Amino acid sequence: MKLGKSELKENMVIQITGSKSISNRLLILENLFKNIRIGNLSNSQDTQLLKKALSENTETVDIHHAGTAMRFLTSYYSIIDGKTTVLTGSKRMKERPIGYLVNALRDLGAEIEYLENEGFPPLKITGKKIVKTAVDVPAHISSQFITSLLLIAGKLENGLEIHLVGEITSRSYIEMTLDILTKAGIQNNFTGNTIKVEPFAGDPSGIIDYEVESDWSSASYFYSFAALGRKTIHLKSFYRESTQGDSAIAAIYKEFFGINTTFTEEEHKVTLEPVQAFIFPEKIVLDMNNCPDIAQTLCVTAAALHIPFEISGLGTLRVKETDRLLALYHELKKLGTETEITDSTIASVSFSEPQNDISIKTYQDHRMAMSFAPFCLIQELNIEDEAVVEKSYPTFWEDLHSLLTE
């Protein structure tokens, strides 16, 4: 995707698809309890793959690159009594660890085998009735592992108590899951490091309508456009009281880039309005442990504006669609930004002029493509393998071009 040096149009309105994170959670609950009707379901590839897997009665399920689907379906198939499922995915998926989740499910009595490498997909899952009521889980692991257990907990005969051992990572995503469980009629409690989920005791014939809020992770790229282009952008459909951890983008971009967010409640619209003559900070120091998926967006924005940054809490980025910290290290160089990375941090070292012919590698990672796109307001660039955006935001390039005057 060749992006010429562009400017933003003023006051454009973008309708973003439903949150992938919320949609995927609801699909599992819809299939387990049959009492949820979903509106504004995400049109992302990940969500469509999960929906397809849940609707087909096949022995082998291939979820390709969809990491959320792999994690959620591992628990889901574990409790479908009498059904044997081989759960597999792409070459990269087979390199993404799933051992912590499998260990927890085995501790509860699930029957799961590794078919190739210990600790990694593909998995052979033999569904059975689970009656154990408690499990210990390391608190630092991906919140999706914990959410996977929480989504099946209300279906278990005795519910489930999860003891999180150590410091919790991405707490906001766990709280989002619990909020969804509550709205689905599943009682739960999160006190200290212990989560207790009661067995579902509601009316299975009572239908709950759930309108999915649009995706704040996808919104982050437009915050970057607003920060670099200093023009007002309107986004729909968002709520002031969001449970999505990535809604932190609003506060972050207000503090560091002077982008005010205002909500129009009746239209479920947010307006991103740049503060004119904003004085940028001398340095950005931020722990993004609760919102690591928007770190790439922030790093590119800061790099484009030559604002030094030091971002921590990014350990989970190492095991995403690609090693996102390493990918950032290589691709930010093309923008003239040298960085240092560790297992969980990235920090700028120096800034210089960008390369003349910038071509951004995406490493099969949708967020690499979209987070670097706003740099076209600074200089023309090429985004390789642009189709990767289908994973979370299939209409991104169409929406982008509606914003730009090249």
Side-chain angles (χ1 to χ4, degrees):
M1 175 66 67
K2 190 75 172 179
L3 299 174
K5 188 175 185 304
S6 309
E7 292 186 6
L8 283 183
K9 298 174 185 175
E10 184 72 67
N11 281 311
M12 295 301 294
V13 180
I14 303 293
Q15 172 70 57
I16 294 178
T17 185
S19 162
K20 178 167 69 81
S21 296
I22 295 174
S23 294
N24 290 351
R25 286 159 170 79
L26 288 171
L27 283 174
I28 296 292
L29 295 175
E30 177 191 46
N31 276 269
L32 287 176
F33 300 102
K34 314 298 183 185
N35 70 331
I36 298 173
R37 187 162 47 211
I38 308 171
N40 196 31
L41 188 74
S42 170
N43 64 358
S44 67
Q45 186 180 66
D46 274 17
T47 297
Q48 298 309 311
L49 283 167
L50 179 57
K51 185 178 181 180
K52 181 173 183 286
L54 290 166
S55 66
E56 294 180 347
N57 187 27
T58 57
E59 184 170 331
T60 299
V61 175
D62 185 347
I63 50 72
H64 305 285
H65 298 308
T68 306
M70 170 62 71
R71 289 155 180 166
F72 290 2
L73 289 173
T74 297
S75 295
Y76 175 82
Y77 289 128
S78 294
I79 64 168
I80 307 300
D81 197 10
K83 177 176 173 56
T84 297
T85 306
V86 173
L87 188 56
T88 188
S90 64
K91 180 177 181 293
R92 173 59 181 167
M93 186 57 61
K94 293 179 181 181
E95 297 170 348
R96 298 180 69 175
I98 200 167
Y100 284 119
L101 176 57
V102 171
N103 289 345
L105 288 165
R106 284 175 169 175
D107 287 347
L108 289 169
E111 188 176 329
I112 306 174
E113 302 172 45
Y114 295 111
L115 295 181
E116 293 181 12
N117 296 316
E118 189 77 12
F120 299 86
L123 308 173
K124 181 180 179 182
I125 305 168
T126 304
K128 59 189 295 188
K129 184 177 181 180
I130 290 178
V131 296
K132 291 185 179 179
T133 61
V135 66
D136 291 349
V137 177
H140 72 278
I141 62 174
S142 167
S143 63
Q144 288 184 10
F145 292 165
I146 299 164
T147 284
S148 180
L149 297 170
L150 292 173
L151 291 174
I152 64 167
K155 193 69 174 177
L156 303 184
E157 185 177 290
N158 303 305
L160 183 62
E161 189 170 292
I162 300 176
H163 304 286
L164 301 175
V165 182
E167 184 179 350
I168 299 170
T169 299
S170 300
R171 185 185 186 99
S172 60
Y173 286 100
I174 299 172
E175 291 174 340
M176 179 175 73
T177 302
L178 295 176
D179 179 74
I180 292 171
L181 292 183
T182 299
K183 290 174 179 172
I186 301 167
Q187 295 183 12
N188 60 82
N189 179 266
F190 190 1
T191 303
N193 275 41
T194 299
I195 308 172
K196 174 70 174 175
V197 180
E198 302 294 339
F200 178 70
D203 179 5
S205 63
I207 299 298
I208 298 167
D209 286 301
Y210 198 117
E211 192 73 13
V212 179
E213 181 187 22
S214 292
D215 188 56
W216 276 100
S217 307
S218 298
S220 74
Y221 313 117
F222 298 100
Y223 274 86
S224 186
F225 274 107
L228 299 182
R230 312 313 291 181
K231 298 281 180 65
T232 299
I233 302 173
H234 308 278
L235 305 176
K236 299 171 72 173
S237 302
F238 293 92
Y239 308 119
R240 186 187 302 275
E241 302 301 327
S242 177
T243 59
Q244 296 180 56
D246 287 347
S247 63
I249 194 77
I252 291 171
Y253 269 65
K254 179 178 182 178
E255 179 179 358
F256 297 116
F257 303 113
I259 304 299
N260 286 332
T261 301
T262 57
F263 290 82
T264 306
E265 302 288 354
E266 61 272 16
E267 298 180 58
H268 301 307
K269 181 176 73 175
V270 292
T271 297
L272 319 185
E273 189 169 6
V275 174
Q276 300 308 317
F278 178 74
I279 300 173
F280 292 104
E282 292 184 5
K283 186 175 185 180
I284 298 171
V285 179
L286 196 58
D287 182 345
M288 301 187 75
N289 179 61
N290 280 326
C291 51
D293 281 347
I294 56 177
Q296 289 152 289
T297 309
L298 183 138
C299 287
V300 173
T301 309
L305 294 169
H306 288 191
I307 302 173
F309 56 88
E310 187 177 311
I311 314 299
S312 59
L314 305 180
T316 58
L317 296 193
R318 288 289 197 177
V319 289
K320 294 286 187 175
E321 285 76 357
T322 187
D323 180 337
R324 286 178 173 166
L325 289 178
L326 187 60
L328 278 172
Y329 171 82
H330 287 301
E331 301 311 302
L332 286 173
K333 281 186 176 182
K334 299 173 182 178
L335 310 189
T337 301
E338 292 285 343
T339 60
E340 290 181 345
I341 58 173
T342 68
D343 285 344
S344 61
T345 67
I346 184 168
S348 61
V349 175
S350 64
F351 299 103
S352 58
E353 290 300 309
Q355 294 178 4
N356 289 326
D357 296 311
I358 299 174
S359 189
I360 300 297
K361 289 183 63 175
T362 50
Y363 306 88
Q364 298 184 324
D365 182 2
H366 54 131
R367 300 207 189 283
M368 287 298 291
M370 293 184 284
S371 62
F372 276 81
F375 196 79
C376 72
L377 298 179
I378 307 299
Q379 181 177 315
E380 70 173 28
L381 75 164
N382 180 57
I383 305 290
E384 300 177 16
D385 191 19
E386 69 270 15
V388 292
V389 302
E390 292 177 0
K391 181 177 175 64
S392 64
Y393 190 171
T395 61
F396 175 75
W397 299 118
E398 297 166 35
D399 290 343
L400 171 57
H401 284 301
S402 74
L403 279 180
L404 301 178
T405 56
E406 295 187 10

